[in-house]
Amino acid sequence: MAAPIATRTLSLAVCAAVLVAVVVVSLAPVAAANEEGDALMALRRGLEDPDGVLASWDPNLVNPCTWFHVACNDDNRIDRIELANMRLSGPLPAELGKLEQLQYMEMSGNNLQGPIPPELGDLKNLISMDLYNNDISGHLPSTLGNLKSLRFLRIDHNRLTGPIPRELSGLPNLESVDFSSNDLCGTIPTSGPFENVPLSSFSNNPRLKQGPGAYDAHC
């Protein structure tokens, strides 16, 4: 009788392991949705929203893909934030760096304030960062050099200071940048994707200078 009991015990153990695996896999999208919802709620809590455009952002709804002004991919992961020209004001929270599948950050034409969080350098799938025409200040974080998928970086018409990080020269897919109308300083990078960037993309930064000479970040 020992063999059948052992076989039955083994079968039960295998079934239990399979059940646990199925539960873990099925809960993974929910956990990701909750984390991404928390990141968006951190953004909402810090913003003044006079027109109520974020009213649909309800933390009681498990899936933030149902909220207005965001879009999701086929895996129900947030890949786009669509908040341009919404009269929003307030800071960008560090939690936005948790949106691992985000490809498009469209938040131009508002009154966003404070610095660009270094955590945005964790957005490894980001293709386009549109933060122009806001009131963003502080230095550009060097962690933006981690955004290897980035093609468009438009952060003109803000109050950014400090140098353009050298790390941005290592972005292999960067096609279009605009740093104009800020208070950036130091020298304009000339290597990598910056070789073909027109000088107009750096205009109206009185303390930003064009070579010759070595890259200078001390300003």
Side-chain angles (χ1 to χ4, degrees):
M1 294 295 293
I5 293 175
T7 301
R8 187 163 56 250
T9 301
L10 179 60
S11 298
L12 289 173
V14 170
C15 290
V18 171
L19 179 61
V20 169
V22 169
V23 170
V24 169
V25 171
S26 63
L27 289 179
V30 175
N34 286 340
E35 184 175 40
E36 294 186 337
D38 290 343
L40 291 181
M41 286 307 300
L43 173 64
R44 181 187 177 184
R45 283 192 297 269
L47 294 179
E48 294 184 17
D49 178 16
D51 298 325
V53 298
L54 303 179
S56 69
W57 291 21
D58 184 351
N60 295 315
L61 298 176
V62 175
N63 188 358
C65 295
T66 62
W67 301 355
F68 292 157
H69 308 297
V70 298
C72 292
N73 59 23
D74 292 338
D75 295 322
N76 280 330
R77 303 292 299 277
I78 294 170
D79 63 2
R80 186 185 293 263
I81 297 176
E82 303 169 333
L83 289 173
N85 303 305
M86 295 293 183
R87 299 209 306 150
L88 301 170
S89 61
L92 294 169
E95 287 85 348
L96 290 180
K98 296 178 181 179
L99 301 176
E100 297 177 348
Q101 300 297 317
L102 190 68
Q103 294 185 324
Y104 298 93
M105 179 182 288
E106 301 169 0
M107 303 181 70
S108 60
N110 289 292
N111 189 33
L112 300 178
Q113 301 150 3
I116 296 175
E119 289 81 1
L120 296 193
D122 294 333
L123 300 174
K124 301 298 176 61
N125 291 292
L126 195 67
I127 293 173
S128 179
M129 179 183 288
D130 283 334
L131 295 173
Y132 58 90
N133 288 339
N134 277 291
D135 196 32
I136 298 171
S137 58
H139 287 206
L140 284 168
S142 61
T143 54
L144 296 184
N146 297 330
L147 303 178
K148 303 304 183 183
S149 298
L150 194 67
R151 296 171 56 191
F152 307 101
L153 177 60
R154 292 173 283 236
I155 50 178
D156 52 286
H157 292 84
N158 281 288
R159 294 192 299 114
L160 294 164
T161 59
I164 298 173
R166 172 177 283 176
E167 289 81 358
L168 297 184
S169 298
L171 295 179
N173 296 302
L174 196 61
E175 297 177 10
S176 176
V177 300
D178 196 340
F179 298 97
S180 64
S181 298
N182 281 286
D183 190 25
L184 299 170
C185 59
T187 54
I188 297 172
T190 57
S191 60
F194 288 92
E195 291 181 0
N196 300 312
V197 175
L199 288 178
S200 59
S201 294
F202 306 97
S203 63
N204 296 320
N205 286 280
R207 299 189 297 143
L208 192 62
K209 58 187 179 181
Q210 184 183 10
Y215 171 80
D216 180 14
H218 304 289
C219 57

